[in-house]
Amino acid sequence: MNVQKIILKVFALFSVVRGYNLIVLILAQYLAALFIFAPEVGHRQLLTNPKLDGLILCSILCVAAGYIINNFYDLEKDELKRPLQVYLQKQVSQGFKLTVYIVLNALALIISALISWKVFIFFLVYQFLVWFYSHKINRFALIKNFYLVIIRVMPFFALLVYFDHFTFNLALHATFLTILLLITDIVKDLSSQKADLIYNYDSIPIKYGIDFTKVLISCLIITELIIGIIIIMKNDVGAMKYFFIAANITFTVILFIIWRIKSTQAYKILHYFFKGMIVAGVFSIVLIEINPLTLQTIAQNFNQRIN
């Protein structure tokens, strides 16, 4: 096998495991640990904690394995939705994907067992839930959306198991993230109706209709607006409150324009926009430690220097 083929297969495997999503997840988990779960612990002490590193590694291995098994079952359907990406992914055989899937899950269980028996049980259950989604649940409308979102937020519950630390503030952040992921997934269903119809997948738009889907999205957006207002009013998230202010303004605009959207391309753009919001939310976690008054002082000093 020449070097060019090896590089192609590496890129293909990176695409199968959604490497870009894994990078965001790693960042999100470390930031959540630093600023939400254990803000009282020194950053260096936390980042050099081998058990935390092992926990996050277990999450990444399990999520990567989940993407592999989902790709294994949905490869034909994805050919209609993203043909170029599927062409790249086909450079890796189905047999090799299954082998990597087993190896990743086994490594995750070994590492989790070294951390604690609670973490081991957590990831064992998580791996089963991921497999069950790909094997059975992903063909059923509405159920699959809620089920998938639970799977996606579970890596953060692994941090909860490890730190054994739960607060009202944490519950608000978790709920906001969960609903945002749910909105993103439902909008994705709107953009993939053609492929779902051809391969007989029951999605919310196909089973319940476009109007019902938009009503559901609107209700979820209104819920996000309420949670965002509560977080802003609590005023204990530092400068991260500006993210929630921007998110609430954005949600209000989308609440009105979503009823005007009709084309598949527009739904795809909206789907990627919500994904961008998730990434923005991850990066904004670092603002929790920054006091808004400090930002105002910096801005005033900057204006004085200019003038």
Side-chain angles (χ1 to χ4, degrees):
M1 185 181 294
N2 59 40
V3 176
Q4 194 174 18
K5 278 192 174 182
I6 293 173
I7 293 173
L8 185 61
K9 286 184 180 293
V10 169
F11 274 108
L13 190 60
F14 185 83
S15 175
V16 170
V17 302
R18 309 283 180 88
Y20 39 88
N21 285 354
L22 297 182
I23 292 169
V24 173
L25 178 59
I26 292 170
L27 182 62
Q29 286 191 289
Y30 272 115
L31 291 178
L34 289 169
F35 299 102
I36 298 177
F37 284 94
E40 71 285 350
V41 180
H43 292 182
R44 182 177 295 180
Q45 180 184 348
L46 206 58
L47 290 173
T48 55
N49 185 330
K51 286 191 175 182
L52 176 62
D53 295 334
L55 184 78
I56 292 175
L57 178 58
C58 287
S59 297
I60 299 307
L61 292 173
C62 287
V63 171
Y67 281 127
I68 289 173
I69 198 66
N70 192 55
N71 176 269
F72 185 86
Y73 284 106
D74 283 353
L75 192 62
E76 288 184 349
K77 174 187 168 184
D78 287 341
E79 280 187 301
L80 286 176
K81 294 164 58 180
R82 44 181 83 91
L84 291 176
Q85 188 174 332
V86 170
Y87 171 77
L88 176 63
Q89 292 172 359
K90 280 188 173 181
Q91 303 305 310
V92 180
S93 70
Q94 296 288 72
F96 183 74
K97 289 176 190 175
L98 280 179
T99 301
V100 176
Y101 166 76
I102 293 169
V103 170
L104 292 179
N105 277 333
L107 281 174
L109 291 179
I110 291 169
I111 296 169
S112 63
L114 295 174
I115 298 171
S116 77
W117 68 268
K118 287 183 180 179
V119 174
F120 173 79
I121 296 297
F122 177 88
F123 282 109
L124 187 63
V125 171
Y126 179 70
Q127 289 178 8
F128 171 77
L129 291 176
V130 170
W131 170 83
F132 193 65
Y133 168 80
S134 299
H135 186 62
K136 292 288 185 183
I137 300 297
N138 69 343
R139 290 181 178 271
F140 300 102
L142 200 55
I143 297 174
K144 73 163 188 175
N145 299 91
F146 286 97
Y147 191 100
L148 181 60
V149 167
I150 291 170
I151 289 175
R152 285 178 175 169
V153 298
M154 275 188 73
F156 294 97
F157 284 100
L159 292 174
L160 181 62
V161 170
Y162 176 71
F163 286 108
D164 194 21
H165 175 70
F166 187 79
T167 63
F168 179 64
N169 187 40
L170 179 60
L172 285 174
H173 279 81
T175 306
F176 188 91
L177 172 63
T178 301
I179 296 175
L180 181 54
L181 286 169
L182 183 57
I183 293 170
T184 306
D185 197 58
I186 295 173
V187 172
K188 183 181 177 182
D189 282 347
L190 284 169
S191 69
S192 62
Q193 294 175 70
K194 181 180 177 181
D196 288 334
L197 273 170
I198 291 173
Y199 289 99
N200 199 29
Y201 279 71
D202 256 349
S203 67
I204 296 174
I206 291 171
K207 188 169 184 178
Y208 301 104
I210 302 295
D211 287 344
F212 173 87
T213 305
K214 289 186 177 182
V215 168
L216 178 58
I217 291 171
S218 299
C219 290
L220 292 171
I221 287 176
I222 291 170
T223 306
E224 287 287 72
L225 286 170
I226 295 169
I227 295 172
I229 290 169
I230 294 172
I231 292 173
I232 293 165
M233 295 297 289
K234 278 173 61 64
N235 202 30
D236 59 355
V237 291
M240 191 185 181
K241 77 173 187 178
Y242 294 120
F243 164 76
F244 289 103
I245 292 171
N248 272 17
I249 293 170
T250 304
F251 278 134
T252 303
V253 173
I254 291 173
L255 196 58
F256 289 100
I257 68 170
I258 193 168
W259 291 93
R260 297 174 177 269
I261 296 175
K262 295 182 187 283
S263 69
T264 299
Q265 190 61 35
Y267 290 133
K268 284 182 180 178
I269 292 171
L270 189 59
H271 171 242
Y272 285 118
F273 181 80
F274 280 124
K275 290 181 74 172
M277 280 186 69
I278 294 169
V279 175
V282 168
F283 281 101
S284 69
I285 292 175
V286 299
L287 300 176
I288 289 176
E289 283 193 349
I290 299 176
N291 191 312
L293 292 176
T294 304
L295 291 178
Q296 291 176 13
T297 303
I298 292 171
Q300 288 172 1
N301 291 338
F302 181 73
N303 288 332
Q304 287 174 2
R305 287 181 184 179
I306 293 175
N307 298 330

